[in-house]
Amino acid sequence: MEKNINEKKGLMKKKKVINGRRPLSRWHRASGIPSHELSPSAIGRRISGSISITKSGRGQRFVIRAAHDRCLEEGSLFDLPTTLSQAGSHTLSVLQKGGRAARQVKMFISYSPVELKHPYGSEKRLPMTYICCREEAESGACWHLLTSEKVESAADARVIVSYYERRWLIEEYHKAWKSGGARVEQLRMQTRDNLERMIVVLSFVAVRVLALRQGGLGEEKQNESCEQVLSPIEWKLLWVKQEGKELPKKAPNLKWAYLSLAKMGHWHDSKRTGRAGWIVIWEGWFKLQDIVEGYRLAKSLDQEI
C-alpha cells in the first residue's frame, strides 16, 4: 500500500517537472508568450526589497519599485543617485486622478549595477541594476527601481522605465480580469482544469474590454473607429438600443462605444468625471452579448412562431 502511494507521488512529480523545467501554463500556451519573457506579473508596485531578493534568487526577471532603503557595500541605495551622473531624460505622462490634473513631467535618469545584501543576514549578495528616475523639482516624483535586466545605456534605462510605466495599465487589467470585471477570483468549479480554462477564456475577454475602456478614455484614440474592439453587429445593435435612430454610414468612435456600454450598465456619471467604473462596463458588456445572442438566434429561425 505504502509502495503504491510513493509510486503515485513519483508520477505526479514527473508530470509537474519535465527535464528540470515546469511545463508552460495554459495562459502562456494560449497567448503565445514564451515563459522566459518578462511577464506582466513581474512588473511590481512599490514593495519591500526582500521580495526582489527572493525573485532574484530564483532567477526570475522583474522590474520593481523599492519601498525601503537598503545597505550597499558603501552607503545606501537611496543615497546612490547623488553619486551618479545623469544618463538622460524621460518624459512621463501623469494621468488625471482625483484633484490631480493630467500633465507631462520631465524625469532625469541615472543607473548603476548594485549588489544588495541579503535581508536575512546571509553573506550572499545578489547583483541587479538600480535605476533612479527623478523629477527636477525637489518635492517632485522619484522612482527607485530595481531590475534583473542589464542596463548598459540610457536607451536601456528608458526601456526599463517604460516597463514600469505600464504598471498602472496592468493594474487596470487586473481589475477587469480578477475583481471588478470578469471576477475570476470568485469562480468556483469542481476541477482545476475547468477553472484554468475559464480563467484563460475570460483573460482574453478582459483584454478586449480593457482596450475599449482605454480607447474611450485616452485622448489620442477616443476618436478612432469602435470597430477596433466591437464587431459590426455589436456596435450596430448597441446603436439601435441606446440611440434608437437610423444607423450611421460609418462606425462611431471609441468614446461613444465606451460611454454607451457604461450607460447600458446603468452608469449615470453622478460624479461628473466622465470615467465609468469596471462594474458598470461589464454589466453593459454582458447585456450587449445577450442582445447579440438573441439577434443571432432570431436570424437563425426558419419558421414563424
Side-chain angles (χ1 to χ4, degrees), residues 33-218:
I33 299 175
S35 60
H36 63 272
E37 291 212 357
L38 193 63
S39 68
S41 60
I43 301 173
R45 65 179 71 193
R46 192 173 180 178
I47 56 178
S48 66
S50 59
I51 302 292
S52 63
I53 294 286
T54 305
K55 286 180 177 287
S56 182
R58 291 176 181 171
Q60 295 182 21
R61 300 173 66 191
F62 60 88
V63 177
I64 63 166
R65 185 177 173 189
H68 306 294
D69 201 359
R70 300 202 62 82
C71 291
L72 303 175
E73 192 70 41
E74 294 182 6
S76 65
L77 188 67
F78 287 3
D79 291 333
L80 191 58
T82 59
T83 66
L84 300 175
S85 58
Q86 288 180 13
S89 62
H90 178 76
T91 302
L92 173 67
S93 298
V94 179
L95 299 176
Q96 181 274 334
K97 187 177 182 181
R100 182 184 70 192
R103 62 194 179 105
Q104 297 281 319
V105 180
K106 189 175 183 179
M107 308 283 280
F108 295 100
I109 296 174
S110 54
Y111 64 90
S112 174
V114 295
E115 289 188 347
L116 296 188
K117 291 184 177 181
H118 201 283
Y120 305 116
S122 170
E123 293 299 317
K124 186 179 179 182
R125 294 178 183 275
L126 293 170
M128 56 188 72
T129 304
Y130 166 76
I131 299 173
C132 178
C133 190
R134 183 192 296 271
E135 197 175 347
E136 189 173 15
E138 196 168 318
S139 58
C142 181
W143 293 349
H144 299 280
L145 305 180
L146 292 169
T147 178
S148 58
E149 307 301 288
K150 287 186 178 180
V151 176
E152 298 176 342
S153 66
D156 291 344
R158 277 192 286 269
V159 168
I160 299 300
V161 173
S162 70
Y163 287 161
Y164 186 73
E165 277 187 271
R166 293 185 178 94
R167 193 198 92 191
W168 289 271
L169 182 60
I170 293 166
E171 288 186 1
E172 285 297 320
Y173 171 72
H174 284 161
K175 287 179 188 176
W177 181 46
K178 291 167 63 178
S179 53
R183 302 178 188 177
V184 296
E185 291 178 332
Q186 298 178 20
L187 292 177
R188 298 292 181 269
M189 294 191 176
Q190 292 184 348
T191 67
R192 176 179 170 178
D193 282 349
N194 285 344
L195 183 62
E196 283 189 355
R197 290 188 190 101
M198 195 63 181
I199 286 172
V200 170
V201 169
L202 288 175
S203 69
F204 288 101
V205 177
V207 167
R208 194 175 170 197
V209 179
L210 176 65
L212 175 64
R213 185 173 187 264
Q214 295 299 114
L217 288 174

Side-chain angles (χ1 to χ4, degrees), residues 213-230:
R213 185 173 187 264
Q214 295 299 114
L217 288 174
E219 292 182 3
E220 65 279 0
K221 285 192 173 182
Q222 63 183 11
N223 291 320
E224 294 181 9
S225 171
C226 68
E227 285 192 340
Q228 293 183 8
V229 180
L230 300 178

Side-chain angles (χ1 to χ4, degrees), residues 18-33:
I18 302 171
N19 295 330
R21 292 182 64 186
R22 294 188 180 278
L24 292 177
S25 66
R26 277 194 175 88
W27 162 255
H28 281 111
R29 290 199 299 270
S31 62
I33 299 175

